Amino acid sequence: MNVVLLGIPGSGKGTQANFLKKRLKLKAILTGDLLREAVEKGTKLGEDAKEFMEKGDLVPDQIILDLIEEKIKEQQKNFSGFVLDGFPRTLPQAEGLDLLLERTGKSLDYAIKLNLPKERALKRLEGRLVCPFCEAFYNLETNPPKKDLLCDFCAKKLIRRSDDKKDLIATRIQVYQKKTEPVEDYYQKQGKLKIVDGDGKADLVFERILAVLKK
Ligand code: AMP
């Protein structure tokens, strides 16, 4: 099964991508994580992406499409499909993905939109923490760590993401509304869009996603 996750920043895509990865053995491809890793390592991709990310803006489509092509073509032996989080974020990316899948003999089954009002997303982003080591996401409200502010998996101290600052959050949400909402219509027309209520605890939202995938 091949799935795309959509939803404004803070709607819980990263957390749900990880749940889907574990439960359905999907390969999780998170463009935001891949880009942050590239920036940290100082690779060519990181250098190209950095200035856009620091402004809360989108990285140019072709850079992202090349990255996705590389990841989708990688060995899929132990996986039963993929889940894409943070991609596609523009219409050209969605069209590029369709062409890429066609070329590689694959197809997309569902685009799942995690629906969350902007005010709720803002509140969540303010409480969002991430493990600097394994990049697991937490939220003080919906998905808190089991112990203090430490990662459940590697016990490292959790930190805030550098683009989770108030002004950048507002920009990222605006960018979503302007550039990514048309992607929702694109999948709606293809009959692949499934809208899931993204409010509530992470495991409850996951049950809703599984229910949609079973239909
Ligand atoms: P995320 O972790 O998905 O919120 O992504 C963090 C940042 O990485 C975004 O604000 C963008 O600057 C960049 N980014 C991630 N995915 C994409 C994409 N599909 N297209 C363009 N830029 C992206």
Side-chain angles (χ1 to χ4, degrees), residues 11-214:
S11 57
K13 300 186 296 295
T15 305
Q16 298 303 329
N18 278 318
F19 284 171
L20 283 164
K21 170 181 160 181
K22 284 184 194 142
R23 179 76 73 92
L24 302 183
K25 296 202 166 48
L26 302 182
K27 176 176 170 146
I29 303 173
L30 289 75
T31 45
D33 282 2
L34 292 171
L35 293 170
R36 274 185 292 278
E37 196 181 297
V39 170
E40 209 159 286
K41 286 190 181 150
T43 62
K44 165 93 174 54
L45 169 66
E47 270 170 30
D48 293 343
K50 196 172 172 199
E51 59 170 306
F52 299 97
M53 295 174 77
E54 281 174 350
K55 286 187 287 188
D57 214 341
L58 293 184
V59 174
D61 290 334
Q62 199 51 53
I63 296 179
I64 299 289
L65 281 165
D66 291 346
L67 173 67
I68 288 291
E69 174 151 15
E70 185 192 313
K71 291 288 153 193
I72 284 185
K73 280 186 176 166
E74 272 174 13
Q75 206 30 288
Q76 303 270 338
K77 235 186 5 243
N78 299 318
F79 299 104
S80 61
F82 59 74
V83 50
L84 296 175
D85 161 15
F87 174 93
R89 259 172 151 109
T90 65
L91 269 183
Q93 289 183 15
E95 288 159 359
L97 175 64
D98 277 349
L99 292 176
L100 166 62
L101 293 177
E102 218 177 280
R103 281 205 305 277
T104 47
K106 298 185 173 76
S107 64
L108 188 73
D109 297 291
Y110 299 106
I112 300 167
K113 184 198 170 172
L114 298 177
N115 205 22
L116 193 72
K118 191 172 140 187
E119 298 66 36
R120 296 279 306 116
L122 281 169
K123 193 151 184 286
R124 270 197 196 173
L125 287 173
E126 282 165 20
R128 178 153 89 169
L129 294 166
V130 61
C131 172
F133 188 69
C134 72
E135 296 188 336
F137 273 114
Y138 296 88
N139 194 285
L140 296 175
E141 189 189 345
T142 54
N143 184 28
K146 292 196 178 94
K147 202 172 155 230
D148 302 327
L149 294 180
L150 303 177
C151 179
D152 292 352
F153 309 102
C154 44
K156 289 268 182 309
K157 192 165 166 33
L158 301 175
I159 57 165
R160 279 176 70 88
R161 242 173 71 172
S162 63
D163 59 353
D164 279 348
K165 292 187 202 112
K166 245 188 174 161
D167 50 339
L168 274 191
I169 288 174
T171 307
R172 284 161 55 215
I173 290 183
Q174 274 167 14
V175 168
Y176 185 91
Q177 289 170 327
K178 191 165 158 224
K179 299 193 174 158
T180 313
E181 274 179 4
V183 174
E184 296 174 10
D185 297 337
Y186 179 83
Y187 288 124
Q188 174 81 57
K189 284 187 192 125
Q190 290 188 353
K192 292 182 178 168
L193 185 73
K194 304 280 173 194
I195 298 179
V196 169
D197 180 3
D199 211 352
K201 296 252 184 248
D203 46 3
L204 177 66
V205 175
F206 186 53
E207 292 306 319
R208 292 182 195 136
I209 293 178
L210 289 179
V212 159
L213 296 183
K214 274 184 207 142

